Amino acid sequence: VSNAGVGMAGPLECQSLEAMQSLMDTNFFGLVRLVKEVLPDMKRRRGGHIIVISSVMGLQGIVFNDIYSASKFAVEGFCESLVVQALRFNVAISLVEPGPVITEFETKLYEEAERANYSLTDPETAEIFTKVYLRNSKDVFSSLGQTPEDIAEHTLRVIEAERPPFRHQTNVAYTPMAALKHADPSGALMTDTFYKLVFNYGAVLRFSL
């Protein structure tokens, strides 16, 4: 089970390339190193199961989570490419894709975001992040957030499944979000919907949450 991960949220201009590379080294290359270690023996035994804790942000990018989403997209693409070869050796790969999970991980992320220096970006972007994104994000977590125990139960179900699924989303509230991309391959529907939710209907979003 690959579960190592770090987060990053905020305006792109305020994040250093070193921090981005460090995040990718944990979230993506950490997984790659683990799989390189365990896969050869699983192939020799012609059996095994690799479970990867991914994220719904590996299916749908979220505003101000550019680098974190990129790392999870990389995880999803890596596993999607590898799964067909792995099945030839009777090795299953499963992506567990949680939505928001209420842990110290997120608390720390918010604390860092609230005291960060936003002088490297323009005032409008800084205000959108601190006044719109952080507020909406906290509402999402308080309304839709899952506990670590809930994610553990979902992961156990994937482990014990007779035919392990390749993808398993833990929060049905996020299914429509991911479905928007498949409903319109051009991306216009997804982009327009999220733009309106963030900038036009923020009060409705918070009320519905």
Side-chain angles (χ1 to χ4, degrees), residues 10-11 23 38-39 42 49 51 60 69 73 85 90 107 128 130 151 159 170 186 189-191 194 196 207-208:
L23 181 145
V38 302
L39 186 60
M42 289 182 174
H49 191 184
I51 294 117
Q60 169 65 59
S69 290
F73 267 73
Q85 177 204 150
N90 195 37
T107 303
I128 292 169
T130 56
I151 305 305
I159 292 170
T170 68
S186 77
L189 177 62
M190 177 273 296
T191 304
F194 277 87
K196 287 176 178 175
F207 178 75
S208 66

Side-chain angles (χ1 to χ4, degrees), residues 103-138:
T103 66
E104 292 181 6
F105 178 98
E106 297 301 331
T107 303
K108 181 182 177 184
L109 202 61
Y110 285 128
E111 289 174 351
E112 290 176 352
E114 287 175 349
R115 63 172 180 263
N117 177 12
Y118 299 111
S119 61
L120 293 176
T121 190
D122 59 277
E124 184 177 359
T125 299
E127 184 172 1
I128 292 169
F129 177 66
T130 56
K131 301 290 177 61
V132 178
Y133 170 81
L134 287 180
R135 180 181 178 186
N136 286 345
S137 186
K138 287 178 180 178

Side-chain angles (χ1 to χ4, degrees), residues 18-34:
E18 291 78 12
M20 296 177 193
Q21 289 167 339
S22 177
L23 181 145
M24 291 296 294
D25 190 52
T26 298
N27 292 9
F28 175 62
F29 287 107
L31 167 64
V32 173
R33 287 192 290 268
L34 178 64

